[in-house]
Amino acid sequence: MSEGDNAWRFELDGRQHEIDVDVASMSGKIVVRLDGKVLEEDRIWFSDKEFRFPIGTHEAVVEVDLAYGGFATRSSLRLDGAHVEPLRR
């Protein structure tokens, strides 16, 4: 697992949600899942990626950034503008 791979579990409006980000280091493929369903698929090549999507009336933003001169990635989650700590790194 790279630093780009992360998972977040949180409660929002009385429901549990989980967001997973998987980044394949060789191909650059990024998969973002919400509650097990694929929301976004893309590739990271030479620039950072940002994925915005609603969860009910709230806005989630997943950022996947290039790190270490482009040899690795890291990801983060903001929910309504507030940083959410990941389950694992």
Side-chain angles (χ1 to χ4, degrees), residues 16-74:
Q16 286 283 6
H17 294 283
E18 185 169 327
I19 295 176
D20 292 298
V21 175
D22 294 314
V23 181
S25 58
M26 293 300 287
S27 67
K29 184 176 181 177
I30 303 166
V31 179
V32 179
R33 293 181 186 85
L34 172 62
D35 300 330
K37 296 179 183 170
V38 174
L39 288 181
E40 302 273 353
E41 287 187 56
D42 204 345
R43 295 201 186 278
I44 191 163
W45 292 109
F46 301 107
S47 64
D48 303 336
K49 294 289 182 176
E50 182 177 273
F51 303 95
R52 292 179 177 268
F53 50 91
I55 304 175
T57 60
H58 304 275
E59 181 182 48
V61 179
V62 171
E63 293 178 332
V64 180
D65 304 322
L66 292 171
Y68 307 113
F71 291 103
T73 58
R74 58 182 163 234

Side-chain angles (χ1 to χ4, degrees), residues 8 59-61 76-85:
W8 298 268
E59 181 182 48
V61 179
S76 62
L77 170 66
R78 288 191 326 259
L79 190 56
D80 292 332
H83 176 75
V84 179
E85 284 295 318

